[in-house]
């Protein structure tokens, strides 16, 4: 049991890093399978479209899946276009807040597609096929492109002898792809490190308070899910019993639509308030009836840190 508890604690502590690592490994493995078992360069005038389709189309699909699997996507969009909420979502502050949350969502959703592109470029199969179908490639990377026709460029990915002969005149497509791939990886790591450092530097809370906030967020989401299941089960039992036994239903409290709306919006930290979630704020502001109850905070960046732990605990 002690070993299992240590494993669980390790996962909870590094769950974001582990999740990104698992996604990256699965994406890299999928790219290798596609490259070896599915991809076959046509070696004709369709090289450009075919090669870039395998390089970019799966990345776009993975980006869409990243949005779909992010719980915050549905938290932001659910009910946004309803007539009741229309005046609320017309303010520029609300849209600015939406953009502040949408950018980190895009960053997280981009992990898999960027991994696909980077691994594909290092493998070079997709790029080599696409580059051989481009006239611009010959002008950019060949010292004397008059020695070879466009038809010969088309056949380079399928003819090893021709590819070896042309490499003396042209920078190898394989080398080009790997150079671009390593540059992409280095750029991603640099931007990720800089953005993380900048975001932490502007955090209005200390390191220990931030750790407490993450622990609280995990516990709140776990307990909320347990309590929601219990409450839903009791309500379902009451309604089912009343239906089959033809009895009047006993009083049963259910949060109103307004209450659900108040606790469902994304919380952003306000340095003047000591709240750690919208539920915490709702409970301490007379169930959201306090005139000072607001949905917008002042420091959305802090919420981005904490929300990494929230999203992986439950589907809320």
């Amino acid at each position: 049991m002690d070993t299992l508890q240590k494993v669980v604690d390790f996962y909870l502590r590094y769950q974001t890093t582990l999740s990104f690592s698992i996604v990256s490994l699965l994406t890299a493995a999928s790219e290798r399978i596609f490259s070896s078992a599915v991809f076959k360069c046509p070696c004709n005038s369709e090289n450009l479209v075919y090669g870039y389709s395998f390089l970019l189309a799966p990345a776009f699909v993975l980006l869409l899946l990243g949005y779909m699997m992010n719980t915050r996507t549905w938290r932001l969009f659910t009910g946004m276009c309803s007539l009741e909420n229309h005046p609320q979502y017309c303010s520029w502050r609300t849209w600015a807040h939406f953009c502040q949350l949408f950018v980190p969502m895009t960053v997280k959703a981009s992990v898999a597609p960027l991994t696909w592109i980077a691994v594909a470029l290092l493998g070079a199969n997709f790029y080599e096929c696409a580059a051989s179908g481009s006239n611009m490639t010959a002008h950019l990377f060949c010292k004397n492109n008059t020695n070879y026709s466009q038809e010969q460029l088309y056949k380079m990915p399928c003819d090893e002898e021709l590819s070896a002969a042309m490499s003396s005149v042209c920078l190898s497509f394989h080398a080009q792809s790997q150079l671009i791939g390593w540059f992409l990886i280095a750029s991603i790591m640099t931007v990720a490190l800089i953005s993380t450092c900048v975001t932490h530097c502007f955090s209005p809370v200390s390191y220990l308070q931030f750790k407490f906030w993450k622990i609280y967020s995990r516990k709140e989401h776990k307990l909320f899910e347990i309590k929601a299941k219990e409450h839903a089960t009791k309500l379902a039992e009451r309604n089912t019993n009343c239906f089959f036994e033809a009895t009047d239903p006993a009083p049963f409290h259910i949060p109103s639509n307004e209450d659900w709306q108040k606790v469902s919006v994304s919380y952003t930290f306000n340095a003047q308030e000591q709240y750690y979630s919208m539920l915490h704020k709702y409970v301490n502001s007379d169930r959201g009836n306090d005139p000072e109850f607001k949905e917008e905070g002042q420091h959305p960046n802090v919420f981005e840190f904490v929300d990494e732990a929230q999203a992986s605990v439950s589907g809320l």
Side-chain angles (χ1 to χ4, degrees), residues 52-316:
Y52 280 127
S53 294
F54 272 82
L55 181 64
L56 301 178
F60 180 71
V61 172
L62 290 172
L63 179 64
L64 297 181
L65 288 176
Y67 281 125
M68 293 173 62
M69 297 179 66
N70 191 332
T71 55
R72 197 190 304 170
T73 302
W74 310 117
R75 193 167 187 169
L76 285 177
F77 283 99
T78 301
M80 192 171 187
C81 297
S82 64
L83 297 178
E84 292 82 359
N85 295 330
H86 183 69
Q88 174 186 354
Y89 288 111
C90 286
S91 65
W92 67 269
R93 292 187 60 187
T94 302
W95 282 104
H97 176 65
F98 174 85
C99 294
Q100 288 175 327
L101 295 179
F102 188 75
V103 171
M105 285 169 47
T106 302
V107 172
K108 293 179 181 179
S110 300
V111 172
L114 289 176
T115 300
W116 175 279
I117 294 175
V119 174
L121 287 172
L122 292 179
N125 288 347
F126 302 155
Y127 177 85
E128 186 176 19
C129 180
S132 65
S134 172
N135 290 322
M136 184 177 64
T137 305
H139 289 285
L140 288 177
F141 297 103
C142 294
K143 300 176 183 177
N144 184 12
N145 55 14
T146 58
N147 292 340
Y148 298 96
S149 65
Q150 184 64 56
E151 291 297 326
Q152 289 176 305
L153 281 177
Y154 289 155
K155 297 177 181 179
M156 275 188 64
C158 304
D159 192 331
E160 295 183 1
E161 294 183 359
L162 180 60
S163 178
M166 294 187 67
S167 64
S168 61
V169 179
C170 301
L171 177 62
S172 170
F173 293 147
H174 193 92
Q176 295 173 30
S177 181
Q178 290 184 331
L179 286 174
I180 297 173
W182 281 116
F183 178 78
L184 177 63
I185 293 173
S187 300
I188 293 172
M189 296 301 297
T190 302
V191 172
L193 177 60
I194 293 175
S195 61
T196 301
C197 292
V198 170
T199 309
H200 278 270
C201 286
F202 282 94
S203 171
V205 299
S206 65
Y207 176 73
L208 292 179
Q209 185 179 5
F210 172 64
K211 289 191 65 176
F212 171 82
W213 192 353
K214 291 177 68 176
I215 294 172
Y216 169 82
S217 297
R218 287 196 296 264
K219 294 296 182 180
E220 181 191 271
H221 278 70
K222 182 177 180 179
L223 292 174
F224 187 94
E225 186 172 2
I226 293 173
K227 188 65 177 179
K229 289 180 179 179
E230 293 177 354
H231 209 69
T233 301
K234 292 179 181 178
L235 179 60
E237 289 178 350
R238 189 204 69 163
N239 294 338
T240 304
N241 292 335
C242 290
F243 174 77
F244 285 103
E245 298 173 6
T247 58
D248 295 330
F252 195 94
H253 175 72
I254 302 175
S256 65
N257 290 340
E258 184 181 359
D259 291 336
W260 282 113
Q261 182 63 32
K262 289 177 181 178
V263 300
S264 296
V265 296
S266 298
Y267 176 69
T268 52
F269 185 75
N270 189 324
Q272 299 176 354
E273 301 172 341
Q274 199 69 7
Y275 304 131
Y276 296 99
S277 69
M278 287 305 298
L279 184 61
H280 185 193
K281 191 172 185 178
Y282 170 85
V283 171
N284 286 274
S285 60
D286 190 21
R287 291 185 296 180
N289 295 320
D290 195 313
E292 298 182 356
F293 184 87
K294 299 177 182 179
E295 296 176 1
E296 295 86 6
Q298 296 180 353
H299 299 283
N301 288 336
V302 181
F303 176 78
E304 306 309 329
F305 294 157
V306 179
D307 195 59
E308 292 176 357
Q310 295 178 353
S312 58
V313 174
S314 69
L316 299 174

